[in-house]
Amino acid sequence: MTTPLIARRVERTPSATRPAVRADIQALRALAVTLVVVYHLWPTRLPGGFVGVDVFLVISGFLITSHLLRRPPRTGRDLASFWARRIRRLLPASLLVLTTTLVVSRLVAPETQWENTARQTAAAALYVVNWRLAADSVDYLAAENAPTPVQHFWSLSVEEQFYAGWPVLVLLLVLLAGLGARRALRAGGPGQPVPERRLGLVVPLGLGAVVLASLVLSIRATASEPASAYFITPTRIWELGIGGLLAAWLAWRGREGVTRHGPTATVLGWLGLAVIVWTGFAYSGAVPFPGWRAALPVLGAAAVIAANAPARLPSPTRVLGVRPVQWLGDVSYSVYLWHWPLIVLVPYATTGGRGLVDDAGIVLLTLALAPATKRFVEDRFRFPRAGTPLRRPYLYAAAGMAVVVGLAGLQIAEVHHREAQARAALDKATTSGDPCLGAAALDDPTACPRTTAAPVVPAPAEAAKDKSDAYPEVSGGKDCWSYQPRFRVITCTFGDPHGTVDVALLGNSHAGQWLPALEVLARQRGWRITTYLASRCASSDVDQRFDTPAKVRRCRAWGRDAVRQIADRHYDLVVVSNRISLPADGLSGSRSVAAYRDGDVTMLRRLHASGAAVVAIRDTPAPLRSVPDCLAENPKDFTVCSGPRSRWRSDDPVAEAAEQVPGVVTADLDDHICGPRTCDAAVGGVVVYFDETHLTATYSRTLAPYLGSVLARALPGGGGPT
């Protein structure tokens, strides 16, 4: 029996043969990780610190391409050897951090975070978490989820995907470089460097074409969908590619690794550093990124690498070549791995949020864990003994990934088991006939005790998923939402398909939260409900401040199209509600509220003119913090999650507009959600919100009698039997 090809290969690089370390690149690493850590700890102090990731990408692209061109791959065996070295360099530390983070999260984080953390951990172990984050970023409700402690692995996923494809590209380009390069490869023999000049222009031109294509895609994707463009690999390849292109250009000119002397190199090095630091302070989360704006930190990093200034004053290499900076650059990978899980998990462990002492502790613990990880994990696996079978790192990688994915799967299974128990408890509570269940508890507070501790229904982890049937995860795939960027009008039908009263539900997600209550009424009164719902986009006739002009136009067009369709179909009743999650485009404060109010007046007049009874539901009070998370963190004292009614209640242009349109009825149900002065996160044993602002489907159903009385007054004849 023959041994597989990969099994016969062995590592040929002895541990003593280690690549030279450039002080300027180590300083760049130190700067990059400092920018990222400071940004994550104190984002208002360094609002553009996220550009540190872009600096890392350029460094990785440069070093990997330099290595590939110094010893160009000729066969699949060479690629396998290259990937084995990447596995040894990156996976041991990353899998250690993922495993530790998953276990600690289970111990200290609220149960509402367990499933999302487990899913992202599994994706991070497989180096595809950036795609999961990209999908979540365009999901309005998923985007509001608390960040997981492994979210920072998105950039490592991009790099690993780059490492998978870039060497193949280099191999193909080397093979296309011409007869002269191939003769040089054969004459050099195994392990001999290839004269870079003999590779000609093919490699730089080929890499340049990929860089250009990725840059164009990045600019277009950032302009159309910046949230997902930030994470996906095609929009980031050009940043790694700039480093690779620089390496190819230097190799072609025979200047790779050559230190440049004179004032030009010094000025170029300082200029590159200055550009990076400037973007760290000048950029912010409001800047569409990456796109062309990423070119500044990317080119700044490339300038420092290209300068390769001498280690003498006033060169940046000399100034930043001091031991503390070089040490930080040396452990920067482990610093990056550890800092974010600590930032996310420490507040759960201390149960008091993050203060200055906590932040200092996070920094110190990161700087303690990083060198230990570097010494005992990174270096331990990075340089194998000569003769080590090439298959070994692949087997270790597969086993390590399987462990992490398996642990994540167990965590998800536990969550699902708990949810099944929670659903059983919910079914029992909702069929018990308890007169104090949910909103009814506020009818007579003296008879119904205040809910101040667990248990509640749904349980916090289940409450986070307790949404209306308009969501596909609830209805089994029936998605009733219009999404950005296109905002097409989408309708769904609920209730009695043969109902004698046709009801339209119009608005964004705060209209959708009333669907469970309307479904209760539809069963009782024979109503047919048609939904016109959009994610985040309010139905007001006003431009709303989305992150691209196209979304601004399409959102307003969706509102107009939905109103026109409703008017053309002559519904008996139209129920409208919206939450203003975005200011009016170009406006803020009271001017934005006034613009929404004027747009709502226009909308309500059109609906009323169609002959339908129109009811505007005043938007519900909003705690603006995750209620399920808070309840899970404080099971013995729910009052921590309560808040003043005056602060939770906000301006509602729809309700104000309804007062200006004769015939339109306003439904204000706040008295059935909050007490006279205080709003609680759980009322009558029921969790009120499934996130920061939206009612749970269970609590919405308990509001059906109160909503029904308002709708009955608006409809001729009361809208059917009660």
Side-chain angles (χ1 to χ4, degrees), residues 98-109 114 341 345-346 348-349:
L98 287 174
T99 303
T100 304
T101 301
L102 186 61
V103 172
V104 174
S105 295
R106 171 61 181 80
L107 296 176
V108 303
W114 294 351
L345 295 176
V346 162
Y348 295 134

Side-chain angles (χ1 to χ4, degrees), residues 205-413:
L205 289 177
L207 299 183
V210 173
V211 168
L212 180 60
S214 175
L215 175 58
V216 171
L217 177 62
S218 181
I219 293 172
R220 295 185 62 180
T222 302
S224 61
E225 194 55 75
S228 64
Y230 188 87
F231 295 108
I232 61 176
T233 305
T235 62
R236 294 288 188 165
I237 287 295
W238 72 273
E239 300 184 39
L240 292 131
I242 286 291
L245 195 59
L246 174 62
W249 181 73
L250 293 175
W252 176 58
R253 295 194 61 194
R255 302 296 300 277
E256 197 273 321
V258 177
T259 302
R260 288 150 184 78
H261 298 273
T264 301
T266 297
V267 170
L268 184 61
W270 280 118
L271 179 61
L273 290 172
V275 168
I276 295 169
V277 173
W278 179 83
T279 56
F281 285 97
Y283 283 6
S284 71
V287 173
F289 204 85
W292 63 267
R293 292 170 181 83
L296 283 179
V298 165
L299 294 179
V304 175
I305 297 172
N308 198 6
R312 65 188 185 191
L313 292 175
S315 161
T317 306
R318 179 68 179 88
V319 175
L320 299 177
V322 295
R323 183 57 192 157
V325 175
Q326 295 296 299
W327 176 85
L328 182 57
D330 199 35
V331 300
S332 58
Y333 176 56
S334 289
V335 168
Y336 185 82
L337 289 176
W338 283 113
H339 85 283
W340 181 249
L342 292 173
I343 289 174
V344 174
L345 295 176
V346 162
Y348 295 134
T350 58
T351 65
R354 262 182 41 221
L356 185 60
V357 174
D358 300 288
D359 290 345
I362 289 169
V363 172
L364 292 176
L365 188 53
T366 299
L367 295 179
L369 288 170
T373 305
K374 173 71 167 57
R375 178 180 177 182
F376 297 109
V377 180
E378 288 188 56
D379 292 346
R380 166 67 180 81
F381 292 96
R382 185 176 182 183
F383 301 106
R385 291 190 298 269
T388 301
L390 184 57
R391 66 183 177 184
R392 184 169 297 173
Y394 289 93
L395 295 175
Y396 285 166
M401 289 179 170
V403 168
V404 176
V405 173
L407 288 174
L410 289 175
Q411 182 62 84
I412 294 171

